[in-house]
Amino acid sequence: MVTPPEIEARILRIYHAENLLIGNIARQLHVHYSVVGRVLAQAGLPRPGPPPRKSRIDPYLAFIRQTLETFPALTASRLYVMVRERGYRGSPDHFRHLIACHRPRQKAEAYLRLRCLPGEQAQVDWGHFGHLEIGRARRPLMAFVMVLSYSRQIFLRFFLDARMENFLRGHGAAFEEWQGVPRVLLYDNLKRAVLERRGDAIRFHPTLLSFAGHYRYEPRPVAVARGNEKGRVERAIRYVRDAFFAARTFADLDDLNAQAEVWCNRQAADRRCPEDLTRSVREVFTEEVPRLLALPDNPAPLLEQVAVSVGKTPYVRFDLNNYSVPHTHVRRVLTVLADPHEVRVVDGGALLACHRRSYDRDAQIEHPGHVEALVEQKRSARQHRATDRLIQAAPASQTLLIRAAERGANLGTITAALMRLLAQTSAAELQLAILEALQRGVPHPNAVRLALARRREQRGEPPRVGVALPAHLQARDTTVQPHALETYDQLKERNNASADAPPAQD
């Protein structure tokens, strides 16, 4: 803690004028006695009062200082054993406290200010900005930041992970935004950049080397534990946290990136350039753009390519979600080609499916044609398909079916009844009604139907009419037209007349 100048001045005045002890000066000024001692020591004045008492460690100080100069990292416990062998009889705790006062301090290192030519260098790094909740998934929000070392122009782009593909997408977007490429890019010891490092020997990631060769720049890592070598991007990330991200609201990732682009081209570009305070970053960047390397004719392909296996069901698993494929390709190994907005599944050169990318967890993204073709081929899948739709719409129905099965109920009948209720009401209402039926301990569609009726009555809605009855109930209530009783009398008279007639003669 820094002592205020007025307190230092009063301590020195009282010391010279009144020659008080440290404790008296501290009580008079309402400060700690260590503050008084530190101010007097910094001024080169002797400690007021009686001289300090001799300590048991005094005869061994020469040996301790010489040993610590030779072995600066020697622990106090080891040094205590060495001094005790030479006759020291003090306690180890007090000895450790005294060694802390006599241990040589590491000298502060001075650094040269690094300067770059226009278009020569840019610095790259990731910044972590918390997490985003997307459905059932919790995705990390990562900020890709690239800053030009000469003009301090910032490029900012947010992604939902720090994979190599997004790392390179950030490079490509920055080069397109600036319409040029710096000659050297500085990297920290990122896993996406440096695979292995032993001393000065560096093994770069081959994908990054291929990308750098396409854009004709030199990747260069900074030294280990030398954050000052890429201080420009470190300060840029801190500037993004304080000046852009703090207290900012956004609808989704696309909205956040749109706001980031506007911020980089306006507020961040209008700030004073640290290298030339008389000009803005925008003015210096305009001077730097012609010095950048030209872009290649074609951008580098940046698709995520992953080999996936299809099991018994026609779905591939990619990035926490399931995507449908034609049922003719089950039990095979296919390839997923993905960008931030689209997922394509291919078999060699044939495109099998194209889906919009989902960042949820355990979502089932389907193409209607894939499912319909499978249902058409395999009719027995209809019941399972209805169960899947029911559980997806009302997850509590799975618990109801399990409890009904424990009681020996017909699951097909229950599923069909719940599907009819789902067609009559919303999925949210059916979910609440199923939960109420489970709470009452009645896992049956009738309990769900009564719960729906009670909820309609509570909302003041009229009862539903015009609902078709099941086929067996319709047949039971069919009106039957009885025969007239006179026909039975006529039939009886006709039989009597036949009996009274004489038998026929041959």
Side-chain angles (χ1 to χ4, degrees):
M1 183 175 180
V2 179
T3 306
E6 58 272 15
I7 297 296
E8 293 184 359
R10 295 180 64 184
I11 291 173
L12 296 175
R13 182 183 63 79
I14 294 174
Y15 171 79
H16 288 289
E18 302 181 17
N19 196 25
L20 296 181
L21 299 177
I22 288 180
N24 294 334
I25 298 175
R27 282 192 296 271
Q28 184 173 348
L29 298 180
H30 303 288
V31 297
H32 196 266
Y33 68 89
S34 63
V35 176
V36 179
R38 183 175 66 250
V39 172
L40 297 179
Q42 291 175 351
L45 299 175
R47 179 187 178 96
R53 295 181 301 173
K54 294 183 178 181
S55 175
R56 291 183 179 180
I57 202 175
D58 290 345
Y60 309 97
L61 285 179
F63 170 74
I64 290 173
R65 293 193 180 101
Q66 181 181 1
T67 304
L68 289 178
E69 288 178 0
T70 308
F71 306 99
L74 191 66
T75 62
S77 59
R78 172 58 182 151
L79 189 57
Y80 175 76
V81 174
M82 297 171 65
V83 176
R84 189 171 180 81
E85 293 174 351
R86 286 162 173 78
Y88 179 73
R89 292 297 176 262
S91 67
D93 294 334
H94 186 59
F95 180 82
R96 186 178 295 107
H97 172 72
L98 295 175
I99 290 302
C101 300
H102 293 283
R103 187 181 293 275
R105 304 302 178 187
Q106 185 177 3
K107 296 181 180 179
E109 183 178 359
Y111 298 95
L112 293 174
R113 180 179 293 274
L114 302 179
R115 297 185 180 276
C116 297
L117 297 175
E120 178 187 5
Q121 184 193 96
Q123 299 180 7
V124 183
D125 204 356
W126 283 110
H128 187 265
F129 285 76
H131 292 80
L132 287 184
E133 301 289 341
I134 303 178
R136 289 164 291 187
R138 187 170 184 263
R139 302 272 184 170
L141 183 61
M142 304 299 296
F144 174 86
V145 180
M146 182 183 293
V147 57
L148 290 171
S149 297
Y150 178 74
S151 65
R152 308 299 176 89
Q153 179 71 16
I154 296 175
F155 175 82
L156 174 63
R157 180 67 57 87
F158 288 90
F159 296 96
L160 294 179
D161 55 56
R163 295 178 180 174
M164 174 61 76
E165 292 79 12
N166 287 334
F167 190 53
L168 299 184
R169 287 187 186 113
H171 285 71
F175 299 156
E176 291 291 336
E177 177 72 17
W178 296 338
Q179 287 299 300
V181 182
R183 288 169 170 77
V184 176
L185 261 65
L186 285 187
Y187 297 99
D188 200 350
N189 291 283
L190 298 168
K191 293 182 179 179
R192 306 304 176 208
V194 179
L195 290 181
E196 186 179 5
R197 183 169 196 155
R198 295 185 179 180
D200 295 334
I202 303 294
R203 186 164 70 92
F204 278 103
H205 198 292
T207 305
L208 178 64
L209 288 178
S210 176
F211 181 85
H214 183 84
Y215 283 95
R216 301 183 291 275
Y217 72 86
E218 177 191 352
R220 185 182 299 172
V222 299
V224 178
R226 292 288 181 176
N228 63 295
E229 295 185 7
K230 63 179 190 66
R232 291 172 173 85
V233 70
E234 297 287 353
R235 287 190 293 272
I237 293 176
R238 185 169 63 248
Y239 179 58
V240 169
R241 293 186 190 278
D242 298 338
F244 171 75
F245 194 76
R248 183 169 297 272
T249 58
F250 50 91
D252 51 22
L253 187 66
D254 293 336
D255 181 30
L256 179 61
N257 281 325
Q259 297 182 41
E261 182 178 359
V262 174
W263 179 80
C264 289
N265 293 328
R266 294 182 182 176
Q267 179 180 341
D270 291 336
R271 73 189 193 280
R272 295 291 95 188
C273 180
E275 297 293 337
D276 187 356
L277 296 178
T278 63
R279 296 190 296 171
S280 66
V281 171
R282 186 191 310 278
E283 296 170 347
V284 181
F285 174 67
T286 303
E287 174 188 335
E288 186 175 17
V289 168
R291 308 293 181 89
L292 298 173
L293 296 175
L295 291 172
D297 297 334
N298 298 316
L302 298 175
L303 292 176
E304 299 175 51
Q305 183 171 340
V306 181
V308 293
S309 299
V310 187
K312 295 184 292 185
T313 56
Y315 297 93
V316 296
R317 183 78 173 176
F318 173 73
D319 193 20
L320 305 180
N321 296 294
N322 300 313
Y323 297 87
S324 68
V325 295
H327 67 277
T328 55
H329 287 74
V330 295
R331 301 290 191 180
R332 298 179 63 176
V333 177
L334 305 177
T335 303
V336 169
L337 302 176
D339 59 29
H341 303 286
E342 191 176 62
V343 174
R344 289 179 291 170
V345 185
V346 299
D347 183 12
L351 178 63
L352 301 180
C354 184
H355 300 280
R356 180 173 179 80
R357 184 164 184 172
S358 172
Y359 290 96
D360 201 346
R361 176 185 288 273
D362 297 327
Q364 196 162 286
I365 299 92
E366 300 174 341
H367 189 282
H370 299 161
V371 180
E372 292 172 1
L374 179 58
V375 173
E376 187 68 24
Q377 183 190 21
K378 195 172 184 180
R379 297 287 183 176
S380 60
R382 287 184 175 177
Q383 180 180 356
H384 301 290
R385 181 63 185 159
T387 305
D388 292 341
R389 290 201 302 269
L390 180 63
I391 293 176
Q392 187 172 4
S397 60
Q398 185 175 8
T399 305
L400 187 142
L401 292 174
I402 292 175
R403 295 186 182 178
E406 293 173 352
R407 298 187 177 191
N410 189 328
L411 298 184
T413 303
I414 295 176
T415 301
L418 293 178
M419 288 298 296
R420 286 194 295 270
L421 293 177
L422 180 60
Q424 299 167 14
T425 186
S426 65
E429 283 294 318
L430 181 62
Q431 170 76 0
L432 295 175
I434 293 175
L435 291 175
E436 183 176 342
L438 292 174
Q439 187 177 4
R440 294 175 179 272
V442 186
H444 196 275
N446 289 339
V448 179
R449 188 179 294 107
L450 291 175
L452 289 172
R454 279 194 296 269
R455 295 181 64 82
R456 285 196 297 270
E457 292 178 359
Q458 293 174 359
R459 294 193 300 269
E461 298 179 359
R464 293 186 179 274
V465 295
V467 179
L469 295 175
H472 67 282
L473 294 180
Q474 294 180 5
R476 185 186 66 181
D477 296 337
T478 301
T479 303
V480 179
Q481 187 69 27
H483 291 283
L485 297 179
E486 293 79 2
T487 58
Y488 293 99
D489 295 338
Q490 294 174 4
L491 181 60
K492 184 177 180 182
E493 292 175 358
R494 188 179 300 113
N495 292 337
N496 292 338
S498 301
D500 293 341
Q505 296 180 359
D506 296 338

